[in-house]
């Protein structure tokens, strides 16, 4: 049963370079300042969480999301500030803790860490890591981060960084710990790992029907109960675009999402996205595209079907204009989120 009163709605940007109205591209610096403006807008509209991704490549503007989030913290009051995701495998858990504890102080307790192994691999050679250690890096660093999160002296040793002995790490948070999610792509091993460390989970659903992830959600709840670990509402994130006109939404989304996925696919062996594939994703798959009513209906269906506690819409894929991005945020916070809650309340009333 969905807890409508505590349901959370987020927006995430991976930091795509923003387009000008004439089709030229803004600089990375201009795109970063645009993200700060969008975070402020999301807060004004009552969006629960605003997430910023980490990438180290030319088609994305943000390589240090905590710095961007700190700027957003200065112009917002309520929205939680998250990464989407922090690539823990190629980072230092001590520095991750310190940066987020600082962000937590600046935002009055609104920092949210989202840890991931990284679906992009540019950061590994950049910071001197071997991709053959992909799994071991994440597992080891997650273990250290888990100790740091207790905010007590840490004694630890591992393979990929210097050992620690009775080490205090600063600053401490005012609430005693950092809110932390683990981002997973949908493997049983990832689910069990998240359960064992006792963190919240957000599932990346970037293709196919959302219902195919139901077994992983069931596994999470069953494993948490069996292992006597904390059990939290599940979050998911998926791509989308919203406009006042259905045809406009579809055309803008197809142009930009296709360009984005095709560019990424060059290094991952994906075939170019066809219009048939895109249309399938917008009708029954994981692209939430259309008018506010259409998108609200599809999000509500996904939340109800999977029993979610949070839904994040990934916006701005490709090279959308600032006006397109901002209006989409206005429609999401002002129309889609209230309508989703209405639909879920109506659904609950007839069950």
């Amino acid at each position: 049963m969905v807890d409508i009163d505590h349901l959370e709605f987020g927006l995430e940007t991976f930091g795509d370079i923003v387009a000008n109205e004439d089709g030229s591209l803004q600089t990375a610096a201009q795109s970063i300042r645009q993200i700060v403006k969008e975070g402020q807008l999301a807060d004004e509209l009552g969006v629960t969480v605003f997430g910023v991704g980490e990438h180290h490549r030319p088609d994305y503007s943000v390589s240090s999301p905590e710095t961007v989030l700190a700027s957003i913290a200065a112009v917002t009051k309520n929205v939680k500030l998250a990464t989407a995701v922090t690539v823990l495998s190629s980072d230092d858990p001590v520095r991750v803790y310190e940066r987020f504890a600082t962000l937590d102080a600046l935002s009055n307790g609104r920092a949210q860490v989202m840890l991931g192994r990284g679906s992009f691999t540019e950061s590994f050679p950049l910071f001197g890591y071997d991709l053959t250690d992909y799994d071991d890096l994440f597992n080891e660093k997650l273990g250290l981060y888990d100790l740091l999160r207790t905010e007590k002296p840490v004694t630890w040793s591992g393979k990929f960084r210097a050992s620690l002995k009775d080490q205090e790490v600063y600053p401490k948070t005012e609430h005693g710990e950092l809110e932390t999610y683990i981002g997973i792509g949908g493997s049983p091993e990832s689910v069990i790992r998240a359960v064992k460390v006792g963190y919240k989970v957000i599932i990346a659903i970037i293709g196919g029907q959302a219902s195919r992830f139901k077994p992983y959600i069931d596994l999470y709840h069953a494993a948490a109960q069996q292992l006597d670990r904390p059990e939290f509402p599940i979050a998911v994130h998926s791509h989308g675009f919203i406009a006042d006109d259905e045809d406009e939404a579809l055309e803008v989304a197809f142009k930009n999402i296709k360009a984005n996925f095709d560019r990424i696919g060059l290094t991952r062996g994906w075939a170019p996205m066809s219009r048939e594939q895109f249309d399938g994703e917008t009708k029954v798959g994981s692209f939430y595209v259309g008018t506010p009513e259409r998108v609200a209906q599809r999000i509500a269906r996904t939340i109800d079907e999977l029993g979610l506690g949070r839904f994040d819409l990934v916006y701005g894929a490709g090279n959308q204009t600032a006006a397109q991005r901002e209006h989409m945020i206005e429609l999401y916070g002002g129309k889609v989120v209230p309508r989703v809650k209405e639909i879920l309340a109506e659904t609950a009333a007839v069950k």
Side-chain angles (χ1 to χ4, degrees):
M1 179 68 69
V2 175
D3 184 354
I4 300 173
D5 293 335
H6 296 94
L7 196 57
E8 295 186 332
F9 293 89
L11 284 167
E12 298 177 17
T13 174
F14 292 165
D16 305 75
I17 299 295
V18 179
N20 294 309
E21 294 294 338
D22 64 2
S24 63
L25 298 182
Q26 294 188 3
T27 64
Q30 290 172 315
S31 297
I32 289 171
R33 291 192 289 270
Q34 176 62 31
I35 291 171
V36 174
K37 184 178 180 182
E38 291 162 0
Q40 184 176 14
L41 178 59
D43 182 59
E44 293 169 355
L45 291 164
V47 174
T48 316
V49 185
F50 190 80
V52 179
E54 172 195 343
H55 296 88
H56 304 268
R57 45 188 289 154
D59 42 346
Y60 296 103
S61 63
V62 180
S63 60
S64 179
E66 302 93 333
T67 306
V68 179
L69 292 170
S71 294
I72 297 173
V75 294
T76 57
K77 296 180 179 179
N78 299 308
V79 68
K80 294 181 182 180
L81 304 170
T83 45
V85 299
T86 292
V87 185
L88 183 64
S89 305
S90 59
D91 211 329
D92 178 9
V94 174
R95 293 296 291 136
V96 169
Y97 167 83
E98 290 177 336
R99 296 196 305 264
F100 273 96
T102 302
L103 173 63
D104 202 60
L106 290 169
S107 63
N108 291 305
R110 291 184 282 134
Q112 189 179 95
V113 192
M114 193 186 299
L115 301 174
R117 295 191 296 174
S119 61
F120 291 84
T121 58
E122 292 82 7
S123 63
F124 289 81
L126 179 63
F127 298 120
Y129 293 105
D130 193 328
L131 278 171
T132 60
D133 297 320
Y134 185 79
D135 289 325
D136 291 341
L137 280 164
F138 184 74
N139 291 333
E140 179 178 299
K141 293 187 177 191
L142 182 62
L144 175 54
Y145 176 85
D146 194 44
L147 293 175
L148 294 164
R149 191 167 170 257
T150 67
E151 304 196 355
K152 298 176 181 178
V154 172
T155 297
W156 176 93
S157 64
K159 177 181 176 182
F160 299 107
R161 79 169 318 278
S163 300
L164 301 173
K165 183 175 176 59
D166 294 326
Q167 181 66 56
E168 294 274 10
V169 179
Y170 302 99
K172 309 296 185 183
T173 65
E174 291 179 315
H175 303 288
E177 68 175 20
L178 289 167
E179 184 179 13
T180 304
Y181 277 80
I182 291 184
I184 64 175
S187 72
E189 295 79 13
S190 296
V191 173
I192 297 300
R193 182 194 297 116
V195 170
K196 287 181 177 179
V197 295
Y199 290 176
K200 298 177 180 180
V201 166
I202 184 162
I203 302 174
I205 304 181
I206 62 172
Q209 295 186 22
S211 58
R212 67 192 179 93
F213 287 84
K214 185 67 163 61
Y216 297 110
I217 294 174
D218 293 340
L219 174 62
Y220 168 84
H221 291 298
Q225 294 172 17
Q226 183 175 340
L227 297 174
D228 194 26
R229 301 297 293 156
E231 190 174 354
F232 301 103
I234 296 291
V236 304
H237 80 203
S238 293
H239 286 273
F241 181 74
I242 312 163
D244 296 300
D245 179 76
E246 183 80 10
D247 290 338
E248 177 192 353
L250 290 169
E251 292 311 309
V252 170
F254 178 64
K255 173 187 174 183
N256 287 284
I257 293 178
K258 173 179 168 56
N260 179 258
F261 276 57
D262 286 356
R263 184 171 57 247
I264 296 169
L266 291 174
T267 60
R268 300 189 185 183
W270 298 350
M273 180 181 291
S274 67
R275 184 59 191 246
E276 182 181 14
Q277 179 187 356
F278 172 81
D279 288 342
E281 290 290 351
T282 61
K283 291 175 182 176
V284 296
S286 58
F287 295 168
Y288 295 81
V289 176
T291 62
E293 179 63 23
R294 177 177 174 80
V295 172
Q297 291 285 347
R298 295 206 60 233
I299 291 176
R301 188 177 304 114
T302 296
I303 291 172
D304 186 53
E305 189 172 36
L306 299 183
L308 302 177
R310 170 176 161 185
F311 183 95
D312 285 8
L313 192 69
V314 181
Y315 78 96
N319 302 118
Q320 299 173 28
T321 67
Q324 289 169 336
R325 292 164 62 108
E326 289 177 27
H327 190 51
M328 201 226 76
I329 293 171
E330 291 170 347
L331 293 175
Y332 180 75
K335 293 187 176 182
V336 172
V337 170
R339 181 62 180 135
V340 170
K341 293 178 180 179
E342 287 180 359
I343 295 167
L344 290 171
E346 293 165 2
T347 301
V350 299
K351 282 188 175 180

